[in-house]
Every structure is written in C-alpha cells, then in structure tokens.
C-alpha cells in the first residue's frame, strides 16, 4: 500500500509528536525532514556540498535539537540547491511501500502534493515557544524570539515557503492537549484510510 501523511507547520507546533503517533498507530515509516536541514546546517562548510553528501552519521549527531541548530537549519533551508539535493530522498520515502508520515514545512506543497492526508499543525507563537522551552530549557523569552525569527525566515523564503497546502486540514493546537491533538490527527488518517 502506498499512503502518505504530510504534516507541515511552524516551529515547535507538535508535528513530531503527532507524526510519531500516526506512524506507530498505522505501522507507517516516519521521516522527520527537519532533521535533514538541521544536519546540513550543523555540518558547516559549503551547505550545498553538505546536503549532497548527507549520510547516516550526520543524522545521528546528538546536537541537532538545539536552538542554534534550528537557526542554522533555517538559514541553509533558503538555498534552492540545498532543498533540491534533499528532494529525491524525501519523495521516495513518501511513496515507500507500507505507508509513510513525513513532517516538515513543504511536504504537502512541494515534496508530496499527492499525499493522501495533509495536516497543517499550528499554535500561537507563545504556546509553541512554551512547549519548546519545556524541552530545551534556558530563557523562555529567547526561545520565543528564536521561534518567531525562524517562522519569519521559513515563511518569507522564495523557494518552498512555509504555508498550508490548499487542501490541508488545519489543526490549531493552541488550546489542545497533546492527547487531543494526536486524537484529531489519528481521526483524519482513519477517515481517509476508511474511505479509500
Ligand atoms: O522541530 P521544529 O519544528 O522546531 O523544526 P524542524 O522541523 O526540525 O525544522 C528546522 C528548520 O528546517 C525549519 O525552521 C526550516 O527552516 C527547515 N525545514 C524546511 O525548510 N523544510 C522542511 N521540510 C523541514 C524543515
């Protein structure tokens, strides 16, 4: 079975948690595409060469979740050649046998416009920053500034900007618990699988 769930949205919206839950529930493969950009940013040197030569060990680094790695990721993510170098891998993952969930910024718009389910997961910047702060600690104001700056850069870039696909289901989780957000996402996938 070929079945793709595309989960897009701004920084720290809870895409990863939802994606992991969907993958587990339905036995689909999961690809956190943000990790690819974080690994390219963290590698240093020429970002285009880094994207073209990206390997398993680059993705296994333990410093990819930091605020600095997020910033570096969004800076390299504006470079068209970097994005191009990562397209083929993401597309083939999306259409792998057995189902796939990909979370990122451009999955439903660019990587897999034919995805069977498209979710756009969002929440207010303050709520998202608070959630990220619970994970990374430090100064909450600094986390909020980082989240806002990255959102602006991701939404304003010329290539594959952050925006909901026209046919995406928008899930605003500002006032939702993690459990409720996951349940809403599972229900969308369930409905689509049932209809297919
Ligand atoms: O976990 P969080 O939502 O904070 O970030 P992420 O999904 O790990 O993405 C890090 C950065 O990579 C984003 O701010 C984007 O600039 C970039 N990215 C992208 O351009 N396209 C994607 N499909 C995924 C991430």
């Amino acid at each position: 079975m070929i079945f793709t769930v595309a989960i897009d949205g701004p920084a720290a919206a809870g895409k990863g948690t939802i994606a992991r839950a969907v993958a587990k529930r339905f036995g689909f493969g999961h690809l956190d595409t943000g990790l690819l950009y974080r690994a390219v940013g963290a590698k240093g040197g020429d970002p285009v060469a880094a994207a073209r030569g990206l390997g398993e060990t680059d993705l296994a680094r333990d410093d990819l979740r930091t605020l600095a790695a997020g910033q570096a990721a969004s800076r390299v993510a504006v470079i068209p050649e970097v994005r191009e170098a990562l397209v083929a891998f993401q597309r083939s993952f999306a259409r792998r046998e057995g189902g796939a969930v990909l979370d990122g910024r451009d999955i439903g718009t660019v990587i897999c416009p034919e995805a069977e389910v498209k979710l756009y997961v969002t929440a207010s910047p303050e709520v998202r920053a608070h959630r990220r702060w619970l994970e990374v600690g430090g100064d909450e104001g600094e986390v909020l500034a980082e989240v806002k700056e990255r959102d602006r850069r991701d939404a304003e870039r010329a290539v594959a900007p952050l925006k909901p696909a026209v046919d995406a289901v928008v899930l605003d989780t500002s006032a939702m618990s993690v459990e409720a957000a996951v349940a809403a996402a599972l229900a969308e996938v369930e409905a689509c699988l049932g209809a297919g």
Side-chain angles (χ1 to χ4, degrees), residues 41-64:
K43 212 167 169 184
D46 172 19
V48 178
R52 288 181 181 151
L54 208 62
E56 295 279 325
T57 48
D58 300 313
L59 298 172
R61 293 173 62 133
D62 60 7
D63 59 352
L64 298 180

Side-chain angles (χ1 to χ4, degrees), residues 19 28 42 52 60 62 68 78 89 109 111 116 135 138 163 165 174 185 189:
F28 297 164
R52 288 181 181 151
D62 60 7
V78 306
F89 174 69
T109 51
I111 299 297
E116 282 73 13
E135 289 169 5
K163 62 170 180 204
S174 300
V189 177

Side-chain angles (χ1 to χ4, degrees), residues 11-12 15 33-34 38 74 77 83 105-106 132 150 154 157:
K15 303 180 296 289
T33 65
R38 286 172 181 266
S74 78
R83 306 198 69 84
R105 301 289 185 288
D106 62 341
R132 182 53 47 94
R150 205 142 55 84
D154 290 346
R157 70 181 174 225

Side-chain angles (χ1 to χ4, degrees), residues 63-103:
D63 59 352
L64 298 180
R65 292 273 156 224
T66 62
L67 294 190
Q71 278 294 332
S74 78
R75 285 198 201 94
V76 299
V78 306
I79 305 168
E81 292 84 356
V82 165
R83 306 198 69 84
E84 265 161 45
L86 303 174
V87 165
F89 174 69
Q90 295 177 83
R91 285 209 174 128
S92 68
F93 191 96
R95 300 316 263 172
R96 79 212 288 259
E97 186 52 50
V101 188
L102 290 85
D103 68 282

